[in-house]
Amino acid sequence: MVRKYCMEQTKMEIKNLIGQYKFLKPHLVSTFLRTFTTIDKFRDAEIITKNGNSGIDKDIRNVKNYALCKNKGLTEAHWHNLICVGIGKIALQYFEERNINYMPSKIETITLLKYSEGGFYKPHIDSGKIHRELSAIIFLNNDYEGGHLQFFKPNSKDLILDIKPEPGKIVLWPSNFLFPHQATPVTKGTRYTLVSWMI
């Protein structure tokens, strides 16, 4: 799988396994933002703590989220399905470009994140108690300051990649320990992204 592949392919730089693609066209991004950013159902996002429990820790992750669901009406079902199908196609392209013989069996969830001014998520990895193979983030806006997606060398503070937001762009990477990453603090405005994980 992806984890085994990453450990075996030491000659391939880690950042070459971080894929960036155009995903949603501008009119789709605008429509999505008009539909979902004004809802009042955002909740504080949780983390998995060191003891394996779920909880809110705003010293580590200060962001609100909303999980899209195909069972919450036609509009939300449409967006959920459109994004799932699109992520599946991009994931296939991602693996083909890297000659990795793997295809995720399931998209875990589609979650809308809202980073208000001061919002951030400190360095972390996406797989642990919950097993994940591939992570995805979709940028929805760039009319804010800060809020970069940054990747670091494993067990290090050495920055290997700083990704600035571009509405409609999707970024894919293996969810394992080789890819610690963070969302830097938003210093002005509100950052909206969609995140998903595949197994």
Side-chain angles (χ1 to χ4, degrees):
M1 312 252 232
V2 177
R3 181 178 292 112
K4 181 179 178 184
Y5 178 87
C6 289
M7 293 190 317
E8 291 175 350
Q9 302 297 319
T10 56
K11 291 183 181 178
M12 181 181 283
E13 287 191 32
I14 288 175
K15 68 180 180 180
N16 291 340
L17 286 167
I18 301 169
Q20 301 181 53
Y21 305 90
K22 290 185 177 179
F23 183 65
L24 292 176
K25 292 184 178 179
H27 72 279
L28 289 175
V29 174
S30 296
T31 303
F32 182 90
L33 288 171
R34 283 196 307 272
T35 304
F36 288 100
T37 57
T38 58
I39 61 173
D40 60 0
K41 298 178 182 177
F42 284 96
R43 300 291 178 259
D44 288 327
E46 296 184 341
I47 62 167
I48 303 297
T49 61
K50 290 181 180 178
N51 60 12
N53 296 323
S54 297
I56 296 168
D57 186 340
K58 290 196 174 184
D59 291 330
I60 295 174
R61 187 183 194 193
N62 183 11
V63 59
K64 293 188 179 293
N65 65 7
Y66 174 76
L68 270 67
C69 180
K70 59 185 177 183
N71 301 319
K72 292 181 183 174
L74 291 176
T75 297
E76 194 155 329
H78 163 77
W79 283 106
H80 180 277
N81 293 336
L82 183 145
I83 292 164
C84 280
V85 169
I87 288 175
K89 289 178 180 177
I90 293 288
L92 181 60
Q93 179 182 348
Y94 170 90
F95 287 118
E96 286 179 348
E97 288 175 354
R98 290 159 181 81
N99 295 313
I100 301 173
N101 185 21
Y102 182 75
M103 184 61 192
S105 60
K106 178 183 175 185
I107 295 176
E108 183 185 315
T109 185
I110 305 290
T111 303
L112 175 61
L113 299 180
K114 179 181 181 181
Y115 288 81
S116 299
E117 191 169 315
F120 63 89
Y121 195 172
K122 288 186 177 177
H124 62 283
I125 59 171
D126 291 339
S127 190
K129 183 181 179 183
I130 300 172
H131 175 73
R132 295 163 171 160
E133 287 289 343
L134 194 67
S135 298
I137 183 170
I138 302 163
F139 292 105
L140 297 174
N141 66 320
N142 62 358
D143 56 344
Y144 58 89
E145 295 177 8
H148 290 198
L149 172 62
Q150 294 183 332
F151 289 87
F152 302 88
K153 290 183 180 178
N155 301 313
S156 169
K157 293 182 179 179
D158 294 339
L159 183 66
I160 61 168
L161 189 60
D162 181 288
I163 300 176
K164 295 180 181 178
E166 181 183 322
K169 177 164 71 175
I170 188 170
V171 182
L172 301 176
W173 68 93
S175 304
N176 64 54
F177 70 96
L178 293 174
F179 295 85
H181 56 283
Q182 72 171 352
T184 64
V186 173
T187 57
K188 184 178 180 181
T190 304
R191 175 192 198 250
Y192 290 101
T193 60
L194 286 164
V195 293
S196 184
W197 303 271
M198 287 149 271
I199 55 177

